[in-house]
Amino acid sequence: MATQTTGDLKLSGLTKEFDTFTAVHPMDLVIPQGSFFALLGPSGCGKTTTLRMVAGLEQPTAGRIHIGDTEITDTKAHQRNVNTVFQSYALFPHMSVLENVEFGLRRRGDKNAVAKAKEALELVQLGEVARKKPAQLSGGMQQRVALARAVVNRPDVLLLDEPLGALDLKLRRQMQIELKRIQQEVGLTFIHVTHDQEEAMTMADTIAVMNAGRIEQLGDPATLYERPASTFVANFLGQSNLLKATVTGPAQNGEVPVTAYDTALTVAADHVPDGVKEVWLGVRPEKLRMGEHGGPNRLHGTVTDVSFTGVATQYLVRMPWGRELTVVQQNDGSNRARPGEDVTVSWAAEHGFALDASQAADAGVEEEG
Amino acid sequence: MAEGAAVVGTGAPVRKPVRRGRWVPYALLAPGLLWLVVFFVVPMITLGSQSLQEGNIDEGYVFTGNVSIYADAVQRYWPHLLRSVGYAGTATVLALLLGYPLAYFMAQKAGRWKNILLILVIAPFFTSFLIRTLAWRNILSDDGPVVAFAQSIGFTSLLQAIGLTSNDTLLASKFAVICGLTYNFLPFMILPLYASLERLDPRLVEAAGDLYASPREAFRRVTWPLSLPGVVAGTLLTFIPAAGDFINSRLLGNTETVMIGQVIDSQFLRVLDYPLAAALSFILLTMIVVLVTFYVRKAGTEELV
Ligand SMILES: Nc1ncnc2c1ncn2[C@@H]1O[C@H](COP(=O)(O)OP(=O)(O)O)[C@@H](O)[C@H]1O
Ligand SMILES: [Mg+2]
């Protein structure tokens, strides 16, 4: 029998080393019961390793794992009330879909295994294929069987390791909505691992951004996006324009004065880390306006590229010092700038954020997702 | 696609692969069929007709169609037939018990040692079957260190007590014959097992563990059923030749351990009673076919993948 535990999942100093390589640096994390939590990061950053430690498939080098008040660090995988939807689905090829879904219930001696399994298959809308073998199903259907097989056990924590990675874009979007619906319906704690930032942002209540075995930042999607704490997060979640700037004085009226390339600019005071002077001043492309109505922060440049994407138009604007800013404008009917045109780009102080300049400006750029 | 369609549209000659395709399968099948006819069907017919001949080696044999020889053969040699099935069955079970863990280790855990272990499994084939069995005669010889050791730990007494040997040595006994059969056919067990366990995705076993299956349950529900094709192939490849074997019982056994293969061998080559030898061959063949059919049917109900 699996240990029955309920409560938040707590990782304390959880570490995994392979020989000399540290896949997961000491990690402290609390995942509230019933939340949809995303672990986001480029491939190879240690997401799967973290999940496997929670599932009991990998022995941590150090650290503790608790669910509620119960410690499960040394509990065997089959005795943990945790289930995984594997990246490869790992459906049993010699069993029917129904037998696959019943598997966990039967191992625990559940008398209503068949009824519960059928119900779970209905939940993922696969009632009609119960008698088929996994190999007879499409990728999307197999994915849903894998989900049903895990959800049916009503684990304390459900781990999903890039479950949508093998699906095409359209099906992936559809399954994201499905997954979210199912999570709300059954109310389990979901830990969803992904390297797709859009997926993490659309689905999760809380996201932990992982980089090289460490959590870079933890927060709800809007906070991570609006107030990234590192250049890695700024670049990995969406796009960011980063300008090298210097803080020139103390905050006045809630705004900190900075200079970038001899231009005086301002940033909301609570968007500037304490005690740093040299910063990267970041602004999201869609926060920039073509023209002067965006706010008091203004830069002048020349349009070098215009790409029309339907709902929006993306411009590259070359600054006098040679770098290009990316500007995204809604297609709201206003006139579009043309390549070669001289333009002013403006933004409000509260739309900027400052990051310590000791970090590389291109951390997290183009690392998948 | 669009280009291909355009070519057809402009009237380029369209090939008809259907015609040519019709005889290709037969052509590919022909060498195999020919081989079967020459080396299986023809000898079977010859053997069949030989078993229904009467006479002796000096005056020659003539075909009489007298089937009573079969009843006669069974009556005289049923202990040898049963013994052969018993020894071969025991050796097959032993080979499975020895081979499965080894094949599992090689396929799933050995990592870079895999190929070296595979070569070691195949290595005995570099010398002949006969030589290897003769070597076992030396290894198990009465004054050798193996027997001395087995005696010192009381193993020989144990074997004697359960009737696998008739005195305080190892050679010339049931025990030696079964060991020889197990040893000689072990690679035929290991290789198919290895092939099917090699294909087993270890993530399935992890998934079983994740779904509350203890290691024992995971083996029973996932590893074992997925390796069944290898088990079936391995047991057949071990049992069939072991049941007809005539070397092990002759070199390692005694007069009480004579197997049917040894009888057939001596009837053909020493006694020169061809009809009896041919009839015994047919009986052995039929017995194996019946047993194997029954076995495969049974294994098939256990979800053969
Ligand atoms: N069994 C292992 N032995 C050695 N290194 C491993 C092992 N498993 C994972 N790693 C390494 O740990 C790092 C993190 O892997 P993983 O957790 O799978 O990343 P992710 O799931 O984020 O893509 C990778 O660099 C990977 O090569
Ligand atoms: Mg991974």
Side-chain angles (χ1 to χ4, degrees), chain A residues 18 21 23 41-50 58 87 161-162 193:
Chain A
F18 293 112
F21 174 75
S43 107
C45 74
K47 306 181 298 290
T48 298
T49 307
T50 308
E58 202 84 69
Q87 200 162 3
D161 191 359
E162 312 215 16
V193 157

Side-chain angles (χ1 to χ4, degrees), chain A residues 11-313:
Chain A
L11 312 182
S12 338
L14 198 65
T15 312
K16 182 68 196 185
E17 286 164 14
F18 293 112
D19 300 323
T20 57
F21 174 75
T22 307
V24 178
H25 292 274
M27 180 184 286
D28 292 293
L29 192 61
V30 177
I31 298 171
Q33 185 180 1
S35 64
F36 199 123
F37 188 92
L39 209 49
L40 172 68
S43 107
C45 74
K47 306 181 298 290
T48 298
T49 307
T50 308
L51 276 202
R52 287 173 61 83
M53 287 193 284
V54 175
L57 300 172
E58 202 84 69
Q59 186 65 33
T61 313
R64 317 263 87 196
I65 305 168
H66 288 82
I67 296 178
D69 296 327
T70 314
E71 175 165 357
I72 58 164
T73 320
D74 299 317
T75 310
K76 296 261 185 314
H78 69 275
Q79 288 162 334
R80 290 188 192 193
N81 206 13
V82 172
N83 289 123
T84 310
V85 177
F86 291 87
Q87 200 162 3
S88 57
Y89 310 150
L91 298 176
F92 305 124
H94 56 302
M95 297 180 197
S96 72
V97 166
L98 187 66
E99 286 167 330
N100 264 280
V101 179
E102 286 169 11
F103 193 90
L105 297 169
R106 287 207 182 279
R107 297 293 78 73
R108 299 210 281 182
D110 193 310
K111 298 273 184 299
N112 294 321
V114 181
K116 283 186 184 170
K118 282 185 173 157
E119 198 180 312
L121 280 175
E122 292 301 331
L123 184 71
V124 296
Q125 295 158 8
L126 283 179
E128 327 81 69
V129 299
R131 303 264 153 238
K132 292 201 174 167
K133 290 278 171 71
Q136 294 170 280
L137 306 183
S138 70
M141 287 162 114
Q142 291 184 17
Q143 199 281 326
R144 283 185 279 159
V145 175
L147 180 65
R149 185 176 72 172
V151 165
V152 74
N153 303 298
R154 295 293 184 271
D156 294 333
V157 182
L158 184 71
L159 307 172
L160 301 107
D161 191 359
E162 312 215 16
L164 310 180
L167 307 181
D168 62 53
L169 191 66
K170 197 165 160 231
L171 196 54
R172 198 149 76 212
R173 296 284 170 256
Q174 206 177 316
M175 283 303 301
Q176 288 171 3
I177 299 167
E178 276 295 271
L179 263 183
K180 186 81 190 154
R181 173 182 71 82
I182 290 168
Q183 194 261 341
Q184 280 160 357
E185 234 171 278
V186 297
L188 302 174
T189 310
F190 273 39
I191 303 182
H192 183 105
V193 157
T194 179
H195 65 252
D196 179 347
Q197 45 105 9
E198 201 177 324
E199 186 170 298
M201 288 202 279
T202 39
M203 299 173 78
D205 309 324
T206 312
I207 300 175
V209 182
M210 259 187 100
N211 182 25
R214 289 192 173 84
I215 292 183
E216 288 255 339
Q217 195 178 354
L218 181 76
D220 63 276
T223 309
L224 287 183
Y225 189 79
E226 304 295 349
R227 303 276 316 277
S230 67
T231 54
F232 178 86
V233 177
N235 292 319
F236 193 73
L237 264 80
Q239 267 182 298
S240 292
N241 293 299
L242 294 176
L243 305 170
K244 199 147 189 49
T246 311
V247 175
T248 52
Q252 289 169 343
N253 306 326
E255 291 176 8
V256 173
V258 300
T259 8
Y261 304 96
D262 301 325
T263 313
L265 302 168
T266 54
V267 198
D270 58 347
H271 293 191
V272 182
D274 289 334
V276 287
K277 206 157 153 26
E278 298 300 319
V279 294
W280 292 110
L281 173 59
V283 197
R284 296 289 189 184
E286 73 282 1
K287 300 284 172 29
L288 294 172
R289 291 277 174 277
M290 301 288 266
E292 307 206 330
H293 59 285
N297 293 308
R298 282 167 200 170
L299 293 171
H300 307 283
T302 312
V303 175
T304 53
D305 185 66
V306 180
S307 37
F308 179 69
T309 61
V311 291
T313 304

Side-chain angles (χ1 to χ4, degrees), chain A residues 2 52 55 57 77-78 80-84 86 88 90-95 103-104 107-108 133 149-150 153 155, chain B residues 200-201 203-215 217-218 220-226 302-305:
Chain A
R52 287 173 61 83
L57 300 172
H78 69 275
R80 290 188 192 193
N81 206 13
V82 172
N83 289 123
T84 310
F86 291 87
S88 57
L91 298 176
F92 305 124
H94 56 302
M95 297 180 197
F103 193 90
R107 297 293 78 73
R108 299 210 281 182
K133 290 278 171 71
R149 185 176 72 172
N153 303 298
Chain B
L200 174 76
D201 185 347
R203 288 173 297 190
L204 294 177
V205 181
E206 281 192 345
D210 187 69
L211 291 162
Y212 316 114
S214 61
E217 279 283 282
R220 198 162 96 85
R221 307 278 171 190
V222 177
T223 309
W224 175 257
L226 287 175
E302 283 192 54
E303 283 290 339
L304 260 185
V305 186

Side-chain angles (χ1 to χ4, degrees), chain B residues 166-184:
Chain B
S166 49
N167 52 38
D168 203 31
T169 61
L170 295 176
L171 213 55
S173 66
K174 256 187 220 177
F175 171 77
V177 175
I178 292 171
C179 281
L181 288 171
T182 308
Y183 160 78
N184 274 311

